[in-house]
Amino acid sequence: MARRIDVTGAGGVRLAAWEFGDPAKNDPAKNDPAGHRSEAMIPAQSTGERGARTGPVPGRTTGVLLLHGLMGRASHWASTARWLSERHRAVALDQRGHGRSDKPPQAAAFTREAYVEDAEAALEQLGLAPTVLVGHAMGALTAWQLAAKRPDLISGVIICDMRASALGAASQREWADWFRSWPVPFATLADVRKWFGEDDPWVERPNPARGEFYAEVMQESPDGWRPVFEPEQMLKSRETWVYDAHWEELTQVRCPTLVVRGLDGELGRAEAQEMVRVLPLGEYAEVPGAGHLVHYDQPEGWRTAIEPFLDGVLAR
């Protein structure tokens, strides 16, 4: 299970961080006949004051901060965080606009700088530094931008399936059209799983893990199941990086950095290897059978890919 700790991000935004411990003997996800990994997996057991729990956990002297991608949430890291917590202090952050964290109404709240400052604030308030940052997609961009900005806080970075190249206006339009295609509200979680795992036009072949991923970010409302985030805020977040390339920031990351891609993911092999080349201490790994949601598609392959790197960095 995981314990919630509130931290204060940029502009006073309240962020929910989740510190993982040993797996519960009674995993509520296993007891749920629908198989939905709900909020019960990460109970809201707040410390009662922001940032109250600081410093290392006894017996766990190194920290890992996990940053989800766009539309994700901290609970998507549950499998990774649980095995990490056996030896390290593992914390996953619900980033602004996501999960249980605040969703500021103003568009200006969703800048790259705000996301980076949130992660920086979380590290400092939780007493995690120096830490390894593990980021998926948007969370990976946040990770390497923070590592470039604050090398004193970061001992290593894992970049999971995030491109450094600019994606452009066409990509942003495709995403806007995609959000409009969602048949919300969904009547049941089974409908969520089926649409995102099979019926979504972006799905090339049935992908149950993708269906589960999106079921995780739905909440029940009076008229059915809707996302816990605001799609417009996701588009605002995305437009702050899709028009620019981020190679220069990679060159400024001085700590060991592992670039991981799924063989069927969005990050191509040539671009991934170029990212490794420009990183001062870059390494490369790929996960067979995985798409963009590498850690969710193939959790065992993901662990095999990143554990040697983590062991090397965290043993320093």
Side-chain angles (χ1 to χ4, degrees):
M1 300 296 282
R3 187 172 70 93
R4 174 174 171 167
I5 308 171
D6 284 350
V7 298
T8 303
V13 171
R14 182 196 56 82
L15 305 170
W18 304 90
E19 182 167 1
F20 285 76
D22 297 329
K25 294 180 181 178
N26 244 340
D27 187 339
K30 294 179 181 178
N31 295 333
D32 181 354
H36 178 229
R37 293 199 246 190
S38 66
E39 292 293 333
M41 286 188 65
I42 307 184
Q45 299 173 3
S46 176
T47 57
E49 58 182 292
R50 300 188 181 194
R53 174 72 170 272
T54 59
V57 174
R60 297 176 186 160
T61 58
T62 52
V64 180
L65 182 66
L66 301 127
L67 301 172
H68 60 73
L70 190 73
M71 300 181 294
R73 66 187 310 171
S75 59
H76 283 141
W77 290 114
S79 174
T80 299
R82 283 171 176 165
W83 62 260
L84 282 172
S85 70
E86 295 170 5
R87 289 185 292 167
H88 313 294
R89 188 177 177 207
V91 178
L93 183 68
D94 275 336
Q95 295 173 79
R96 60 177 54 218
H98 297 74
R100 293 280 197 92
S101 290
D102 284 349
K103 299 165 179 63
Q106 65 274 24
F110 295 94
T111 64
R112 278 284 80 220
E113 292 78 11
Y115 278 104
V116 172
E117 289 172 13
D118 286 349
E120 182 180 5
L123 289 180
E124 293 178 329
Q125 292 172 41
L126 294 168
L128 274 176
T131 193
V132 173
L133 294 176
V134 181
H136 173 244
M138 178 190 75
L141 176 58
T142 299
W144 88 63
Q145 289 179 327
L146 178 54
K149 176 186 177 184
R150 291 293 307 274
D152 56 308
L153 297 179
I154 314 301
S155 58
V157 175
I158 296 179
I159 296 169
C160 179
D161 217 65
M162 180 61 185
R163 300 183 61 184
S165 298
L167 303 180
S171 173
Q172 189 72 351
R173 288 193 298 271
E174 288 173 1
W175 272 71
D177 291 343
W178 178 60
F179 276 127
R180 285 191 289 269
S181 76
W182 291 17
V184 291
F186 294 92
T188 67
L189 280 175
D191 292 331
V192 174
R193 294 188 186 96
K194 184 176 187 301
W195 196 82
F196 287 101
E198 300 177 25
D199 300 338
D200 182 349
W202 283 15
V203 175
E204 295 181 357
R205 55 183 179 274
N207 186 341
R210 190 174 187 270
E212 290 293 342
F213 181 94
Y214 283 98
E216 188 84 10
V217 296
M218 295 291 161
Q219 63 185 355
E220 193 169 14
S221 60
D223 60 349
W225 291 83
R226 294 178 177 274
V228 298
F229 50 78
E230 296 293 336
E232 283 302 316
Q233 292 184 349
M234 300 300 97
L235 288 172
K236 288 294 182 184
S237 297
R238 193 173 187 272
E239 73 180 9
T240 64
W241 86 75
V242 296
Y243 302 113
D244 301 311
H246 304 283
W247 295 98
E248 179 62 28
E249 292 151 310
L250 282 176
T251 68
Q252 298 168 13
V253 178
R254 299 296 172 181
C255 60
T257 303
L258 178 67
V259 178
V260 184
R261 62 178 292 268
L263 287 187
D264 298 317
E266 296 178 8
L267 176 61
R269 179 179 284 118
E271 183 170 353
Q273 292 178 343
E274 180 63 12
M275 290 168 67
V276 172
R277 189 188 70 80
V278 303
L279 283 159
L281 296 173
E283 300 179 33
Y284 175 76
E286 56 187 27
V287 180
H292 177 58
L293 307 175
V294 182
H295 57 297
Y296 219 75
D297 284 345
Q298 299 292 337
E300 290 304 317
W302 162 250
R303 178 172 181 171
T304 298
I306 72 170
E307 195 165 26
F309 174 83
L310 281 168
D311 287 346
V313 170
L314 296 174
R316 292 185 177 205

